[in-house]
Amino acid sequence: MTIPTREQLAESQMIQQTVEYWFADHEHVRSPLPFYIHVEVKENAVAAFHDWMGKLNAKANEEINEEIAHEKFEELLFQKAAELVKTDDEVLTIRFPFLPRCGDSIDGKGAEGREGENVIRSRQLIKEGKDEFLQVEVENKASGKRWDTRFELP
């Protein structure tokens, strides 16, 4: 199989669909990729994907199917995005696109001091041995009081 050029890859249906999906918000997931990196991250991910394809041996090249190629491109897209963003919080969003973000509202579930609407003000990654936790600082909108919580990451 002949490896397509970078330009051909960039225009391929798989690349176009993947980029269009991750660059836009959807009902169940918001784009984790900030607008300011869209052009560069696509270029970098296509280049990395092209390089990856060029390093495959003949047997591996025969075994690559659309699903494997798509997963690899997504992996490279997220890897390259993490290299381009400006803040640690943006890296967290890229690593964990389905988790709550700064500015998101959460319900205090009636817990004392947390009743009603609460807003995530900051978050950070905490490592304890092999385990990772997301620690978030949350502000109660009614009282202005802040509280912390953390949960284990997948």
Side-chain angles (χ1 to χ4, degrees):
M1 177 178 121
T2 305
I3 297 173
T5 65
R6 286 183 185 181
E7 293 77 21
Q8 289 169 328
L9 275 176
E11 297 304 318
S12 71
Q13 184 177 8
M14 180 197 73
I15 301 289
Q16 289 299 321
Q17 287 177 344
T18 302
V19 167
E20 286 173 15
Y21 179 82
W22 285 112
F23 285 4
D25 291 341
H26 305 279
E27 286 182 28
H28 63 286
V29 65
R30 292 174 287 172
S31 174
L33 309 175
F35 179 76
Y36 73 89
I37 69 167
H38 284 187
V39 172
E40 190 174 3
V41 75
K42 179 182 177 187
E43 291 171 0
N44 293 356
V46 167
F49 186 65
H50 184 263
D51 292 346
W52 174 78
M53 289 178 68
K55 293 176 183 171
L56 294 174
N57 63 36
K59 185 176 190 292
N61 204 0
E62 289 175 16
E63 294 175 0
I64 296 296
N65 60 31
E66 192 172 323
E67 182 180 348
I68 292 169
H70 181 258
E71 287 177 6
K72 184 62 178 183
F73 180 72
E74 275 191 339
E75 173 189 326
L76 292 167
L77 181 69
F78 278 69
Q79 177 187 12
K80 296 302 175 185
E83 294 170 4
L84 292 172
V85 294
K86 297 175 183 174
T87 69
D88 291 340
D89 192 65
E90 289 172 322
V91 172
L92 283 174
T93 298
I94 290 166
R95 280 193 62 199
F96 307 103
F98 301 104
L99 294 181
R101 303 176 190 179
C102 289
D104 285 355
S105 292
I106 57 174
D107 186 347
K109 304 274 188 223
E112 188 174 336
R114 300 176 186 182
E115 299 91 352
E117 185 180 3
N118 295 270
V119 178
I120 296 174
R121 295 298 182 203
S122 68
R123 58 189 190 155
Q124 65 182 15
L125 187 65
I126 305 291
K127 293 184 181 186
E128 292 180 1
K130 295 186 294 183
D131 298 323
E132 289 184 316
F133 298 86
L134 184 66
Q135 182 165 325
V136 294
E137 181 181 78
V138 184
E139 180 182 347
N140 182 273
K141 294 276 281 196
S143 69
K145 291 184 180 174
R146 293 189 177 213
W147 50 277
D148 292 335
T149 189
R150 71 181 196 168
F151 48 93
E152 192 168 3
L153 293 168

